[in-house]
Amino acid sequence: MQDFEKKWNLLLSIIIPVYNREGTLKRCVDSLLKQINDNVEIVLVDDGSDDNTHQILAEYENDKHITVAYREHGGVSRARNYGLSIAGGKYVTFVDSDDFVGAGYIRTLLEAADGSDLAAFDCWYKIDAKGTVTEEAKRIPVRGRQPAERMYPFLVGQGLNSACGKVFKNEIVRKYGVQFDESMKISEDFIFVMDYLEQCKTVNMCDKITYYYKHNPNGTWRVKPQHMEDLIKAYNKICRFIEIKKVTFEDPVWNLQLVHSRILRHVCSIIVGLHNSGDFTKAKSERLVNSRLYQDVTNEKYDKLKYKLMKELMKGQNWIFLCLVFRLKGIN
């Protein structure tokens, strides 16, 4: 493994955390290798896989463009943080090991990164369990290089908080110690992006990128008790960011209600999952009710009936009925 100084002449490091991805890892890595050049490296960080992932990783160990690291299982955030610690590119980006990229992906990243502290894309593609590809777009009505504060309402309001589909400056990451919160199970991407965005002066808002991610519509039902705590923590981060940066939502389309409706939907999906597993205890209910997240979301005025209904049920702490309505309505 080369040291940081020797690799500093690289333009881009692509960090891929890997855990038990024997079925998708080759597709992911090979889609990048088809377009890689000597200014780009792929950093594969195995997070203690216990399937055949190791055999697949071994096939890439001698590739000059790839660094393979093996770590004890500690979660995706720890794997990404280790990747950041050894990444030598001027810029860094992240790809998940069950996703893949299309033609021109690396070129598009590098063109977007040039001259900005952060490059972000608001349109990519998702693939469902049947292999159907659909466009997933946020359609932010601002393009090109902008002062970071100009982009705060859009990035916060639309929730472009995934670490994938963005390009970060390694210098900023290292100078300010921006890392993923290893204690979190959800919303860790959001915290990372917000922490990084606080140090940015310029953001390049771009259109489409050929990033294909695997959409798992059933993921919300396999939740854990900590997920509610993480969501409360992430919401507190939103509030802190808005208050410190004095974010204002001038356009009614990109307002705080958009943030709250998305969070309300997320809260409800977690409650449903916890109820299904028997983990939504009285203590967890009280923790939620006493949080700023609960107060703000239940005080919000919603335009759509489904959100009004969810809010009233949650506000009345009718958790069982909330779960029933949430599932019957198929709210997503």
Side-chain angles (χ1 to χ4, degrees):
M1 192 178 300
Q2 298 167 302
D3 59 38
F4 178 72
E5 289 76 13
K6 288 182 180 178
K7 297 198 296 181
W8 187 236
N9 62 333
L10 294 171
L11 272 178
L12 178 67
S13 296
I14 303 171
I15 299 171
I16 306 176
V18 183
Y19 179 68
N20 289 354
R21 292 299 184 191
E22 61 181 0
T24 60
L25 181 57
K26 280 188 66 66
R27 180 184 67 176
C28 174
V29 178
D30 290 350
S31 71
L32 289 162
L33 285 176
K34 289 177 182 177
Q35 53 191 287
I36 205 165
N37 59 57
D38 289 340
N39 289 323
V40 179
E41 68 169 349
I42 298 172
V43 180
L44 294 168
V45 183
D46 180 72
D47 183 38
S49 296
D50 55 16
D51 63 355
N52 292 321
T53 296
H54 283 185
Q55 287 90 317
I56 298 172
L57 288 171
E59 298 176 19
Y60 296 111
E61 287 181 347
N62 294 322
D63 192 300
K64 67 177 183 178
H65 299 113
I66 296 179
T67 296
V68 181
Y70 299 93
R71 312 292 291 173
E72 293 183 0
H73 183 56
V76 63
S77 291
R78 187 175 297 179
R80 283 174 168 172
N81 284 338
Y82 185 76
L84 285 172
S85 74
I86 63 174
K90 180 179 180 181
Y91 303 103
V92 294
T93 192
F94 299 91
V95 172
D96 287 340
S97 54
D98 55 348
D99 301 335
F100 65 97
V101 305
Y105 173 79
I106 292 177
R107 182 183 68 252
T108 302
L109 285 183
L110 291 174
E111 289 175 352
D114 187 32
S116 298
D117 293 334
L118 172 66
F121 296 81
D122 70 352
C123 181
W124 48 94
Y125 302 90
K126 67 178 179 182
I127 302 175
D128 62 21
K130 296 180 180 179
T132 304
V133 178
T134 57
E135 189 176 276
E136 183 86 347
K138 300 294 184 179
R139 296 302 184 204
I140 289 180
V142 179
R143 286 288 178 266
R145 290 174 178 80
Q146 305 285 337
E149 57 269 21
R150 172 75 178 94
M151 298 307 301
Y152 293 158
F154 301 107
L155 291 171
V156 175
Q158 268 295 69
L160 291 175
N161 46 45
S162 172
C164 302
K166 292 182 178 65
V167 191
F168 308 89
K169 269 189 176 179
N170 207 344
E171 180 182 5
I172 292 177
V173 170
R174 290 172 177 269
K175 180 178 180 180
Y176 296 100
V178 182
Q179 292 211 319
F180 291 88
D181 188 331
E182 297 179 9
S183 70
M184 299 180 72
K185 301 300 181 184
I186 63 169
S187 299
E188 70 282 353
D189 279 31
F190 171 78
I191 298 294
F192 178 87
V193 173
M194 289 294 102
D195 284 344
Y196 183 89
L197 190 59
E198 285 193 56
Q199 312 304 332
C200 290
K201 293 182 179 179
T202 57
V203 175
N204 187 15
M205 195 68 235
C206 307
D207 193 1
K208 293 184 180 182
I209 191 166
T210 54
Y211 187 100
Y212 298 84
Y213 78 94
K214 184 179 179 182
H215 179 58
N216 181 11
N218 298 317
T220 54
W221 308 115
R222 298 194 297 272
V223 297
K224 299 178 181 178
Q226 185 186 335
H227 291 178
M228 187 64 74
E229 293 294 325
D230 288 352
L231 189 59
I232 292 172
K233 184 175 183 178
Y235 183 71
N236 289 338
K237 176 67 178 180
I238 291 177
C239 296
R240 174 180 172 273
F241 187 89
I242 289 174
E243 290 163 1
I244 290 177
K245 296 296 186 179
K246 297 180 173 58
V247 179
T248 57
F249 297 86
E250 300 172 1
D251 190 325
V253 176
W254 312 95
N255 57 31
L256 199 55
Q257 187 183 94
L258 189 63
V259 178
H260 285 158
S261 62
R262 188 173 61 252
I263 291 175
L264 173 57
R265 185 174 66 245
H266 204 165
V267 169
C268 291
S269 69
I270 291 175
I271 291 173
V272 170
L274 293 178
H275 257 291
N276 288 347
S277 63
D279 281 328
F280 195 61
T281 62
K282 182 179 179 181
K284 292 183 178 65
S285 173
E286 291 176 349
R287 171 79 174 104
L288 171 61
V289 171
N290 291 328
S291 69
R292 178 175 179 176
L293 182 154
Y294 178 87
Q295 298 301 322
D296 288 354
V297 168
T298 54
N299 285 332
E300 181 65 87
K301 294 180 179 179
Y302 294 101
D303 298 327
K304 294 184 178 180
L305 178 61
K306 66 179 182 180
Y307 289 116
K308 289 180 181 178
L309 181 59
M310 283 194 293
K311 184 195 80 167
E312 291 305 318
L313 288 172
M314 194 169 88
K315 192 172 184 179
Q317 300 178 45
N318 298 304
W319 308 122
I320 294 177
F321 291 107
L322 174 64
C323 293
L324 179 62
V325 169
F326 188 84
R327 298 191 70 175
L328 288 177
K329 291 293 183 180
I331 297 169
N332 51 39

